[in-house]
Amino acid sequence: ARMEDERDVYDVFKLWFSDGNQVSLNLNASDKEYEKELNKVPGLRNMAEKEAQEDAEIPFLMELLLFGMSFFEIIELAQESTSFTAYDPLSGALNDI
Protein backbone atom coordinates (compact mmCIF):
# COMPACT_ATOMS: atom_id res chain seq x y z
CA ALA A 1 0.00 0.00 0.00
CA ARG A 2 2.96 2.34 0.60
CA MET A 3 3.88 2.43 -3.11
CA GLU A 4 0.27 3.25 -4.01
CA ASP A 5 0.15 6.03 -1.37
CA GLU A 6 3.33 7.62 -2.76
CA ARG A 7 1.99 7.50 -6.32
CA ASP A 8 -1.19 9.23 -5.14
CA VAL A 9 0.87 12.01 -3.52
CA TYR A 10 2.70 12.67 -6.78
CA ASP A 11 -0.61 12.65 -8.67
CA VAL A 12 -1.75 15.53 -6.43
CA PHE A 13 1.35 17.52 -7.42
CA LYS A 14 0.88 16.66 -11.08
CA LEU A 15 -2.76 17.78 -11.01
CA TRP A 16 -1.91 21.03 -9.24
CA PHE A 17 0.74 21.94 -11.79
CA SER A 18 -1.38 20.74 -14.74
CA ASP A 19 -4.05 23.26 -13.70
CA GLY A 20 -1.59 25.98 -14.72
CA ASN A 21 -0.23 26.62 -11.23
CA GLN A 22 3.46 27.32 -10.84
CA VAL A 23 6.01 28.43 -8.28
CA SER A 24 8.71 30.97 -9.05
CA LEU A 25 11.63 30.75 -6.67
CA ASN A 26 13.87 33.80 -6.62
CA LEU A 27 17.26 32.93 -5.16
CA ASN A 28 17.61 36.53 -3.89
CA ALA A 29 14.32 36.41 -1.96
CA SER A 30 14.29 36.37 1.82
CA ASP A 31 13.99 32.96 3.45
CA LYS A 32 10.43 33.84 4.44
CA GLU A 33 9.41 34.82 0.88
CA TYR A 34 11.15 31.76 -0.57
CA GLU A 35 9.37 29.43 1.85
CA LYS A 36 6.03 31.18 1.20
CA GLU A 37 6.40 30.42 -2.51
CA LEU A 38 7.26 26.77 -1.81
CA ASN A 39 4.21 26.50 0.46
CA LYS A 40 1.94 27.22 -2.52
CA VAL A 41 2.32 23.60 -3.64
CA PRO A 42 -0.28 21.53 -1.74
CA GLY A 43 1.26 18.68 0.23
CA LEU A 44 4.87 19.60 -0.53
CA ARG A 45 5.61 20.78 3.01
CA ASN A 46 3.99 17.69 4.55
CA MET A 47 6.11 15.41 2.41
CA ALA A 48 9.29 17.30 3.34
CA GLU A 49 8.40 17.28 7.04
CA LYS A 50 8.21 13.47 6.99
CA GLU A 51 11.86 13.28 5.91
CA ALA A 52 13.33 16.26 7.79
CA GLN A 53 15.56 15.71 10.80
CA GLU A 54 15.00 19.34 11.86
CA ASP A 55 12.77 22.23 10.81
CA ALA A 56 15.62 24.12 9.12
CA GLU A 57 15.85 21.35 6.50
CA ILE A 58 12.22 21.60 5.39
CA PRO A 59 12.59 24.36 2.71
CA PHE A 60 15.65 22.60 1.26
CA LEU A 61 13.78 19.29 1.10
CA MET A 62 10.78 21.00 -0.52
CA GLU A 63 13.07 22.41 -3.20
CA LEU A 64 14.74 19.01 -3.59
CA LEU A 65 11.34 17.42 -4.14
CA LEU A 66 10.64 19.88 -6.96
CA PHE A 67 13.97 19.02 -8.58
CA GLY A 68 13.16 15.32 -8.18
CA MET A 69 9.76 15.77 -9.84
CA SER A 70 11.51 17.56 -12.67
CA PHE A 71 14.03 14.73 -13.02
CA PHE A 72 11.17 12.22 -13.30
CA GLU A 73 9.36 14.55 -15.76
CA ILE A 74 6.36 15.16 -13.51
CA ILE A 75 6.97 18.92 -13.86
CA GLU A 76 9.35 21.19 -15.75
CA LEU A 77 11.88 23.56 -14.20
CA ALA A 78 12.93 26.68 -16.07
CA GLN A 79 16.14 28.01 -14.61
CA GLU A 80 17.42 31.55 -14.96
CA SER A 81 20.41 33.25 -13.36
CA THR A 82 18.71 34.18 -10.07
CA SER A 83 15.51 32.12 -10.11
CA PHE A 84 13.76 29.02 -11.32
CA THR A 85 10.13 28.28 -12.07
CA ALA A 86 8.40 24.94 -11.59
CA TYR A 87 5.44 24.34 -13.91
CA ASP A 88 3.69 21.88 -16.24
CA PRO A 89 4.60 22.79 -19.85
CA LEU A 90 1.45 21.11 -21.16
CA SER A 91 -1.00 22.82 -18.78
CA GLY A 92 -2.46 25.12 -21.43
CA ALA A 93 -1.91 22.94 -24.49
CA LEU A 94 -5.51 21.79 -24.82
CA ASN A 95 -6.84 25.32 -24.57
CA ASP A 96 -5.52 26.04 -28.07
CA ILE A 97 -7.43 23.16 -29.69
Side-chain angles (χ1 to χ4, degrees):
R2 181 166 164 82
M3 184 71 143
E4 188 174 301
D5 292 341
E6 288 179 13
R7 185 177 61 241
D8 291 345
V9 170
Y10 289 105
D11 285 346
V12 169
F13 297 135
K14 195 175 207 176
L15 285 171
W16 188 80
F17 282 106
S18 71
D19 281 344
N21 296 304
Q22 63 181 28
V23 289
S24 296
L25 300 168
N26 185 331
L27 303 177
N28 294 326
S30 70
D31 289 348
K32 188 175 182 177
E33 291 171 337
Y34 198 81
E35 198 167 339
K36 182 179 177 184
E37 191 69 14
L38 286 167
N39 283 329
K40 286 183 179 179
V41 184
L44 190 63
R45 174 174 274 291
N46 291 341
M47 185 177 262
E49 285 175 344
K50 290 178 187 176
E51 302 301 325
Q53 300 291 321
E54 55 188 62
D55 288 349
E57 294 177 341
I58 294 171
F60 168 75
L61 291 172
M62 292 170 74
E63 184 180 327
L64 188 62
L65 284 164
L66 291 176
F67 276 96
M69 285 187 272
S70 173
F71 180 79
F72 287 104
E73 299 179 350
I74 294 171
I75 61 170
E76 185 85 24
L77 285 180
Q79 195 162 1
E80 297 183 22
S81 60
T82 60
S83 66
F84 66 90
T85 302
Y87 66 101
D88 180 348
L90 302 176
S91 66
L94 297 177
N95 295 341
D96 297 333
I97 296 176

